[in-house]
Amino acid sequence: MPINEKSGAEAEHLDVLIVGAGLSGIGGAWHVQTHCPGKSYAILEGRKTSGGTWDLFRYPGVRSDSDMYTLGYSFQPWREAKAIADGPSILSYIRGTATEHGIDKNIRYDHRVCRASWSSADARWTVEAETGAGNEVVTITCSFLYLCTGYYDYESGYTPEWKGLEKFEGRVIHPQKWPQDLDYTGRNVVVIGSGATAVTLVPSMSTAAGHVTMLQRSPSYVASLPSRDKVADWLRGHLPGRLAYRITRWKNVMVAMTLYNLARARPQFFKRMLRKTAQRKLGPDYDFSHFTPEYEPWDQRLCLIPDADLFKAIRSGKASMVTDQIEEFTETGIRLRSGQHLDADIVVTATGLNMKVMSGLALFVDGAPVDLAGTMTYKGMMYSDIPNLASALGYTNASWTLKCDLTAAFVCRLINHMDARGYTHCTPRRTDPSVTEEPALSFSSGYVQRALASLPRQGSKKPWKLNQNYARDMMSLKYSRIEDGTLEFTRSATGTASRV
């Protein structure tokens, strides 16, 4: 039996081990204790606090980039006034959910999971986690491993190499490591980037900074949405809270799906629609090349701005947009390819994330190391030839939690199905020779392209193909047959496996 290296005793065994106490980990724990009430579980969290992304990011204005009626949990109504919520409010919601349902008592902090080994003979995972300043190793075994670690590296964001950066006399900051002592009052700030973080930082910092320039190599599509949902407000005033929340959630799901399908089917119409919205806030004389990407809508994620705050900051003169490439840094700012010089006291590199699937966890199956790039994703949550393991990964074109809720519910269905039939193993198998490999994601975003070679593949048809569609996934994960001919189930008896 595995030994706990910290105590020397036999390793603790749990039915389900969840890795990560962020938005998806807390949600996953609720599903396990609600739908598999007889199962023991724990959450291992590498940091000293819960909340994941919403505890890590502390930059000015940090907020959701989708509405909280869909980013929130299906089982826990969002009761705040703003549909597009700030980071501290989201963090409070996550932690409040954990406390209300007793999930917080099952979180073990400062446990950095580094290795997981599956044994078919024992029908269990042996998971090793480092804890404390001395990185002592704690060993836990589990029957099912559920990874809720997100998709990016918590230790560092992505910063390109720029000529002359060492000459710059001001401060250079990545939003992922925001210094709480930073005073940008009256300073000239250049925010490098064009994604969700950049469009959040620029209007937020412009209220106190002397001037904020958003420097982008290429534009992104930007859509304005009211920070409050008037329909949700009306429903809350006339219906019981949970019913109002459910209706609003489905309303927003359907609106988002309709807009996404419209953007893909009629991109030129969708572009004109975005441009008209921006023109109303910026005026017809504004140079809209700053909001006119070369790619089609939703080839990259759409940037959401609540209450047109970015447009308002630009219109006020407190912020401006520059679309150009960096030639080099100077002592006082940035020289561009066009020859223009941007004076800067502070440069914020909102240049993206480093993807890190499963938080860099080393996986082994029966002693053999697993190369994730050689696997194929089953229903966007399990992996070919890896038993009793699932991961929570959200949508690229909708709220993260929508898919994670469905995934957690499916994991519980799967566990209960296995118990009812005496199965100990469940493994997705690639048995259909007509299924061909495709890239995991079709996004052209830099963080995706940089990591694409190391990501698991998806297949050319279901159940290996990602839907990126909540309604289809609901049918696939909530109502479809568990034994679909792709999942291989195994019974183990006295260490001997027999496939059924």
Side-chain angles (χ1 to χ4, degrees):
M1 299 295 290
I3 299 298
N4 189 324
E5 295 186 24
K6 186 174 181 179
S7 64
E10 183 178 306
E12 175 187 14
H13 181 76
L14 297 166
D15 294 314
V16 182
L17 188 61
I18 298 171
V19 181
L23 187 64
S24 56
I26 299 299
W30 181 88
H31 281 277
V32 169
Q33 68 182 31
T34 302
H35 301 299
C36 304
K39 296 296 184 183
S40 60
Y41 82 92
I43 304 175
L44 300 188
E45 168 56 51
R47 304 174 74 238
K48 299 183 188 300
T49 55
S50 63
T53 295
W54 301 107
D55 179 68
L56 176 68
F57 285 109
R58 306 290 181 89
Y59 59 81
V62 59
R63 56 169 172 77
S64 61
D65 66 346
S66 51
D67 72 277
M68 287 304 299
Y69 298 102
T70 55
L71 187 65
Y73 300 118
S74 60
F75 57 87
Q76 187 80 7
W78 173 256
R79 297 185 174 92
E80 299 294 325
K82 286 193 173 183
I84 308 299
D86 60 86
S89 296
I90 299 171
L91 182 60
S92 176
Y93 170 77
I94 295 169
R95 290 178 176 169
T97 299
T99 300
E100 181 178 335
H101 297 284
I103 296 166
D104 56 330
K105 298 180 178 64
N106 295 298
I107 304 174
R108 303 180 189 182
Y109 296 105
D110 196 24
H111 279 64
R112 300 171 293 279
V113 174
C114 54
R115 178 187 172 104
S117 303
W118 168 262
S119 167
S120 294
D122 298 322
R124 63 178 52 185
W125 286 97
T126 298
V127 179
E128 297 176 11
E130 296 176 345
T131 184
N135 292 330
E136 296 176 274
V137 176
V138 174
T139 302
I140 300 172
T141 65
C142 65
S143 300
F144 200 98
L145 184 58
Y146 187 37
L147 302 174
C148 300
T149 55
Y151 65 96
Y152 67 90
D153 187 349
Y154 273 46
E155 294 305 314
S156 62
Y158 174 71
T159 302
E161 293 184 5
W162 290 300
K163 181 181 177 182
L165 181 60
E166 72 285 350
K167 294 189 295 186
F168 181 57
E169 295 175 354
R171 295 187 70 172
V172 179
I173 296 156
H174 194 284
Q176 195 166 321
K177 298 289 184 180
W178 195 269
Q180 296 305 301
D181 63 344
L182 179 66
D183 182 8
Y184 51 87
T185 305
R187 303 293 186 88
N188 287 327
V189 179
V190 174
V191 177
I192 305 174
S194 61
T197 304
V199 301
T200 299
L201 278 164
V202 171
S204 299
M205 297 184 76
S206 68
T207 58
H211 188 82
V212 182
T213 302
M214 180 169 156
L215 170 60
Q216 56 183 8
R217 184 175 58 183
S218 58
S220 296
Y221 290 107
V222 177
S224 176
L225 191 73
S227 61
R228 292 191 65 147
D229 187 325
K230 291 182 180 179
V231 174
D233 290 346
W234 187 91
L235 289 170
R236 275 202 307 271
H238 293 80
L239 296 174
R242 287 188 177 275
L243 177 59
Y245 180 70
R246 272 194 214 102
I247 294 172
T248 303
R249 184 178 175 88
W250 265 109
K251 183 263 294 184
N252 289 1
V253 165
M254 297 309 295
V255 168
M257 286 173 55
T258 299
L259 289 175
Y260 174 78
N261 290 332
L262 175 65
R264 301 307 279 178
R266 299 184 61 190
Q268 296 307 317
F269 174 79
F270 192 78
K271 292 175 191 178
R272 288 196 300 271
M273 188 170 66
L274 293 179
R275 184 184 179 98
K276 285 181 180 179
T277 302
Q279 280 179 326
R280 286 197 295 268
K281 298 296 181 182
L282 293 169
D285 297 329
Y286 185 78
D287 181 2
F288 282 94
S289 65
H290 300 307
F291 295 102
T292 309
E294 294 182 0
Y295 60 86
E296 294 299 306
W298 282 109
D299 283 350
Q300 297 183 24
R301 192 173 174 94
L302 201 70
C303 289
L304 176 65
I305 56 172
D307 300 323
D309 60 358
L310 176 63
F311 299 149
K312 291 175 182 177
I314 294 171
R315 187 73 179 263
S316 73
K318 293 283 289 179
S320 58
M321 302 276 289
V322 174
T323 304
D324 206 333
Q325 295 193 44
I326 295 172
E327 181 67 31
E328 64 176 345
F329 275 71
T330 67
E331 290 83 356
T332 59
I334 301 172
R335 180 173 292 110
L336 306 177
R337 292 270 178 92
S338 63
Q340 181 183 0
H341 188 274
L342 300 178
D343 294 335
D345 303 302
I346 299 168
V347 171
V348 181
T349 58
T351 45
L353 305 165
N354 289 316
M355 291 193 76
K356 195 173 186 180
V357 180
M358 298 185 185
S359 196
L361 175 65
L363 285 176
F364 297 82
V365 173
D366 292 327
V370 174
D371 176 15
L372 280 175
T375 67
M376 186 176 285
T377 57
Y378 171 82
K379 296 191 175 184
M381 52 170 280
M382 298 180 76
Y383 304 87
S384 57
D385 301 328
I386 304 181
N388 293 28
L389 179 145
S391 60
L393 293 169
Y395 293 116
T396 56
N397 64 347
S399 291
W400 178 266
T401 318
L402 289 173
K403 178 63 181 291
C404 294
D405 253 338
L406 291 176
T407 298
F410 181 86
V411 166
C412 293
R413 282 185 68 208
L414 180 59
I415 290 171
N416 290 336
H417 180 87
M418 291 169 68
D419 279 356
R421 288 157 179 77
Y423 299 141
T424 55
H425 307 37
C426 173
T427 312
R429 298 292 190 192
R430 296 171 61 176
T431 56
D432 184 350
S434 69
V435 176
T436 57
E437 292 187 354
E438 296 181 357
L441 297 168
S442 59
F443 260 26
S444 61
S445 302
Y447 71 94
V448 172
Q449 294 302 311
R450 290 192 299 271
L452 209 52
S454 63
L455 298 179
R457 305 295 188 257
Q458 67 169 312
S460 55
K461 57 184 180 181
K462 62 182 184 181
W464 302 103
K465 191 169 184 65
L466 294 174
N467 284 319
Q468 297 294 353
N469 183 294
Y470 181 68
R472 289 179 183 172
D473 277 335
M474 175 169 281
M475 298 305 296
S476 173
L477 297 176
K478 196 170 183 178
Y479 299 112
S480 64
R481 293 177 64 249
I482 294 287
E483 298 199 36
D484 59 357
T486 300
L487 289 179
E488 178 188 86
F489 292 90
T490 308
R491 294 189 182 98
S492 288
T494 62
T496 303
S498 58
R499 290 176 182 166
V500 294

